């Protein structure tokens, strides 16, 4: 083992096994076979890798197994990367796929510096993200349960006279309505009970999330983003829990590309062709971003709800949020006047909104630093 040598390691990770391949510097890629995912198996692998070279670089694809392996390898002192599976180079004519081939391919791509790393959150940030995702899943389950009940009533010709917005009057009518058939009434009661259960679950998770956000390190950014129009607590928490540290994006265009709201391009020679947005990256964060962008189709103004969210916020953030509202409302009107479809205009606004989120989020964190130091 030379002191200046480097071993490149590719791991094809599964639930019960890990297939390992390696290469020392520019040598041939060799296979180490398959190991288990237990701590003992990983410790033995680390000892074998240390015996081959002083510097060890490891890579594996992001997947359902999470970042536990990454943290174990980093704790051992290895240079580890979790790469994006969709950005791994692939040969068009390749028709054979095995775990051994995948591990060897990772080694060659890592040695050629041809892989794109994904962001690995800290343990606390990941825990907060899990809580935020649980709340989002509960809201989706609630929406689906309500839709199932509406479909059930529509199939039986039952219609509510008024606005079926799940307000007190609508819910009171649902609790008092009854079917003549016993089996239909049982099915109807189960649909209503599912909705009540989902409502209780959403309330529990929201209370827990609002309590946890006070101790989260990005809480100043959560408050700062809520100064903007269309960005309420749900959007601010959902966006930041998925984005993580905004300082990892050196330029707002990087955030736009990560959210998948930049136009695709297929240019050749003197022709430049732009297509629809790439839709890469985090789909949930992109959904929240576009939903927030729809609020800018109305004229710029500061509503009472936004005024309440401005309480206790530094004036620099409020001014920046107002600048964003003026700019984005004008942008939507300009695109609509040019005859652009409303969806295209909303996505264009969402792309610029991502830039303001990057700016305001970073500004909020910088303004909160002196307060934390003073409190310490």
């Amino acid at each position: 083992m030379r002191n200046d040598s480097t071993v490149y390691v590719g791991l094809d990770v599964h639930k019960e096994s890990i297939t390992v391949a390696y290469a020392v510097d520019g040598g041939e890629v060799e296979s180490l076979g398959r190991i288990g995912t237990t701590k003992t198996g990983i410790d033995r692998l680390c000892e074998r890798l240390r015996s081959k070279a002083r510097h060890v670089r490891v890579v594996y694809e992001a997947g359902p197994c999470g970042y536990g392996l990454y943290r174990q390898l980093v704790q051992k002192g290895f240079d580890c990367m979790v790469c994006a599976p969709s950005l791994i180079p692939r040969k068009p004519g390749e028709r054979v796929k095995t775990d051994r081939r995948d591990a060897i391919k990772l080694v060659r791509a890592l040695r050629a510096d041809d892989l794109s790393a994904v962001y690995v959150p800290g343990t606390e940030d990941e825990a907060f993200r899990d809580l935020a995702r649980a709340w989002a899943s509960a809201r989706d389950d609630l929406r689906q349960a309500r839709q199932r009940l509406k479909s059930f009533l529509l199939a039986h010709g039952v219609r509510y006279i008024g606005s079926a917005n799940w307000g007190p009057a609508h819910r009171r009518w649902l609790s008092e309505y009854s079917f003549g058939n016993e089996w239909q009434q049982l099915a109807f009661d189960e649909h209503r009970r599912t909705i009540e259960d989902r409502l209780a679950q959403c309330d529990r998770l929201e209370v827990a999330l609002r309590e946890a956000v006070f101790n989260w390190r990005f809480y100043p950014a959560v408050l700062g983003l809520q100064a903007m129009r269309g960005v309420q607590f749900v959007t601010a928490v959902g966006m930041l829990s998925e984005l993580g540290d905004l300082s990892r994006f050196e330029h707002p265009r990087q955030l736009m590309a990560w959210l998948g709201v930049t136009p695709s391009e297929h240019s050749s020679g003197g022709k430049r062709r732009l297509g629809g947005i790439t839709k890469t990256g985090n789909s949930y964060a992109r959904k929240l971003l576009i939903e927030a962008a729809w609020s800018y189709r109305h004229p710029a103004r500061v509503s009472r709800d936004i005024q309440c969210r401005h309480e206790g916020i530094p004036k620099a953030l409020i001014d920046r949020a107002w600048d964003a509202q003026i700019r984005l409302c004008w942008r939507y009107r300009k695109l609509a006047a040019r005859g652009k479809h409303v969806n295209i205009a909303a996505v264009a606004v969402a792309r610029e909104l991502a830039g303001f989120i990057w700016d305001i989020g970073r500004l909020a964190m910088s303004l909160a630093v002196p307060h934390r130091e003073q409190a310490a």
Side-chain angles (χ1 to χ4, degrees), residues 301-311:
R301 71 183 186 93
V302 179
S303 64
R304 182 176 300 179
D305 185 36
I306 297 177
Q307 289 180 357
C308 294
R309 300 203 300 265
H310 283 177
E311 294 181 1

Side-chain angles (χ1 to χ4, degrees), residues 47-59:
E47 292 177 0
R48 295 182 65 181
L49 295 176
R50 279 202 182 95
S51 65
K52 297 182 181 300
R54 179 181 180 183
H55 305 289
V56 181
R57 296 187 61 189
V58 187
V59 64

Side-chain angles (χ1 to χ4, degrees), residues 223-235:
L223 294 179
L225 292 187
Q226 290 184 76
M228 304 177 66
R229 182 175 187 171
V231 183
Q232 300 182 3
F233 182 76
V234 174
T235 305

Side-chain angles (χ1 to χ4, degrees), residues 129-148 166 194-195 197-207 209-210 232-239 241-242 284-285 287-288 291:
R129 187 183 65 181
D130 290 339
L131 182 59
R133 286 181 175 179
W135 185 36
S137 299
R139 296 200 313 273
D140 289 339
D141 293 341
L142 174 61
R143 177 182 53 81
Q144 294 174 5
R146 286 173 168 175
Q147 183 60 40
R148 284 194 296 267
W166 303 99
T194 301
I195 293 175
D197 292 343
R198 297 287 79 77
L199 276 172
Q201 183 184 21
C202 288
D203 292 340
R204 290 195 305 269
L205 288 171
E206 182 177 359
V207 170
L209 199 59
R210 289 185 180 274
Q232 300 182 3
F233 182 76
V234 174
T235 305
V237 168
M239 288 283 293
S241 64
E242 299 295 336
Y284 177 60
K287 170 191 170 185
L288 293 175
E291 286 179 351

Side-chain angles (χ1 to χ4, degrees), residues 221-264:
V222 173
L223 294 179
L225 292 187
Q226 290 184 76
M228 304 177 66
R229 182 175 187 171
V231 183
Q232 300 182 3
F233 182 76
V234 174
T235 305
V237 168
M239 288 283 293
L240 288 174
S241 64
E242 299 295 336
L243 294 175
D245 190 0
L246 288 174
S247 62
R248 65 190 178 97
F249 300 104
E250 297 180 0
H251 195 276
R253 290 195 187 93
Q254 295 180 358
L255 176 57
M256 297 173 192
W258 188 88
L259 290 168
V261 292
T262 55
S264 58

Side-chain angles (χ1 to χ4, degrees), residues 59 61 81 83-94 96-97 101-102 104-117:
V59 64
E61 299 180 30
M81 173 198 294
C83 66
S86 60
L87 299 179
I88 297 176
R90 288 179 173 84
K91 297 180 181 179
E94 205 170 33
V96 179
K97 181 185 183 302
R101 282 174 175 257
D102 289 344
I104 292 174
K105 185 192 300 183
L106 286 174
V107 173
R108 291 172 176 164
L110 177 64
R111 189 165 55 183
D113 198 17
D114 207 10
L115 295 174
S116 300

Side-chain angles (χ1 to χ4, degrees), residues 102-372:
D102 289 344
I104 292 174
K105 185 192 300 183
L106 286 174
V107 173
R108 291 172 176 164
L110 177 64
R111 189 165 55 183
D113 198 17
D114 207 10
L115 295 174
S116 300
V118 301
Y119 172 70
V120 179
T123 53
E124 181 182 355
D125 295 341
E126 187 178 19
F128 187 86
R129 187 183 65 181
D130 290 339
L131 182 59
R133 286 181 175 179
W135 185 36
S137 299
R139 296 200 313 273
D140 289 339
D141 293 341
L142 174 61
R143 177 182 53 81
Q144 294 174 5
R146 286 173 168 175
Q147 183 60 40
R148 284 194 296 267
L149 178 57
K150 283 187 173 182
S151 301
F152 178 81
L153 295 176
L154 181 62
H156 294 86
V158 179
R159 292 175 174 82
Y160 175 68
I161 301 175
S163 179
N165 57 358
W166 303 99
H170 184 210
R171 295 176 63 183
R172 184 167 55 252
W173 175 82
L174 288 173
S175 64
E176 296 173 354
Y177 189 85
S178 62
F179 285 86
N181 186 285
E182 179 182 357
W183 296 340
Q184 287 180 343
Q185 182 63 35
L186 179 60
F188 177 63
D189 290 339
E190 287 300 323
H191 282 304
R192 286 195 300 107
R193 187 174 293 111
T194 301
I195 293 175
E196 296 300 328
D197 292 343
R198 297 287 79 77
L199 276 172
Q201 183 184 21
C202 288
D203 292 340
R204 290 195 305 269
L205 288 171
E206 182 177 359
V207 170
L209 199 59
R210 289 185 180 274
E211 292 177 354
V213 75
F214 286 105
N215 299 320
W216 193 33
R217 63 182 181 130
F218 296 128
Y219 177 61
V222 173
L223 294 179
L225 292 187
Q226 290 184 76
M228 304 177 66
R229 182 175 187 171
V231 183
Q232 300 182 3
F233 182 76
V234 174
T235 305
V237 168
M239 288 283 293
L240 288 174
S241 64
E242 299 295 336
L243 294 175
D245 190 0
L246 288 174
S247 62
R248 65 190 178 97
F249 300 104
E250 297 180 0
H251 195 276
R253 290 195 187 93
Q254 295 180 358
L255 176 57
M256 297 173 192
W258 188 88
L259 290 168
V261 292
T262 55
S264 58
E265 182 175 354
H266 184 79
S267 301
S268 179
K271 296 181 180 179
R272 184 169 184 260
R273 298 178 181 142
L274 298 179
I277 59 175
T278 59
K279 294 185 179 179
T280 58
N282 193 291
S283 59
Y284 177 60
R286 182 170 59 253
K287 170 191 170 185
L288 293 175
L289 178 70
I290 294 177
E291 286 179 351
W294 278 105
S295 64
Y296 293 95
R297 67 187 186 274
H298 304 295
R301 71 183 186 93
V302 179
S303 64
R304 182 176 300 179
D305 185 36
I306 297 177
Q307 289 180 357
C308 294
R309 300 203 300 265
H310 283 177
E311 294 181 1
I313 301 296
K315 188 177 183 302
L317 292 175
I318 297 175
D319 294 340
R320 192 63 179 138
W322 176 246
D323 293 339
Q325 186 173 171
I326 293 293
R327 164 68 186 179
L328 297 178
C329 291
W330 170 84
R331 177 68 170 160
Y332 184 89
R333 290 196 307 270
K334 181 180 178 180
L335 292 173
R338 289 170 53 188
K340 293 292 184 180
H341 192 275
V342 291
N343 293 340
I344 296 177
V347 172
V349 170
R351 182 164 51 250
E352 294 196 20
L353 176 60
F356 284 106
I357 288 176
W358 176 85
D359 184 27
I360 292 178
R362 289 163 57 101
L363 179 60
M365 293 300 296
S366 65
L367 292 176
V369 171
H371 298 285
R372 290 201 299 269

